[in-house]
Amino acid sequence: HLVVFFPKFHCKINWIEYFWTQCKRYAREYCDYTLTGLWAQIPDAIASVKVTTIHSCYHQCPWRIQAFHGRVIYGTPNYNNYVKEYKSHRRV
């Protein structure tokens, strides 16, 4: 077994957070906003995430880890090669 420790609250370098994001997106879209409805959607939400999406999330995280280790300086042209910049957290 390989144990990998991530810093607390660094969701950008933990690939499982991207997987859960996809699951939550599916659950919000198909849930009737009751607790029983949410429980019913959880297995479908987990199954809805494609394996290729999981692999993509997993392979993007080492780039971000390198950026956070100080190998890439924030704001430099190389930074955008490692970490995708978002213009907003949420959109309406």
Side-chain angles (χ1 to χ4, degrees):
H1 295 281
L2 176 65
V3 178
V4 180
F5 293 99
F6 294 109
K8 282 185 176 181
F9 310 113
H10 279 286
C11 59
K12 285 188 175 186
I13 61 174
N14 191 347
W15 68 273
I16 197 71
E17 295 295 335
Y18 295 98
F19 172 74
W20 289 125
T21 300
Q22 297 294 322
C23 293
K24 289 187 286 186
R25 181 178 294 138
Y26 180 91
R28 276 193 305 268
E29 189 174 332
Y30 294 102
C31 183
D32 61 357
Y33 291 95
T34 64
L35 188 57
T36 55
L38 178 63
W39 280 104
Q41 287 301 322
I42 290 174
D44 294 336
I46 292 172
S48 72
V49 182
K50 297 178 185 177
V51 174
T52 55
T53 303
I54 296 170
H55 285 285
S56 174
C57 295
Y58 179 78
H59 289 295
Q60 289 175 8
C61 286
W63 297 337
R64 292 183 180 96
I65 291 170
Q66 287 179 358
F68 283 114
H69 275 289
R71 294 187 182 114
V72 177
I73 299 170
Y74 181 81
T76 62
N78 290 335
Y79 180 80
N80 288 333
N81 293 336
Y82 289 100
V83 180
K84 182 178 178 182
E85 287 290 327
Y86 295 97
K87 293 183 181 175
S88 68
H89 178 68
R90 294 178 185 242
R91 293 187 181 185
V92 179

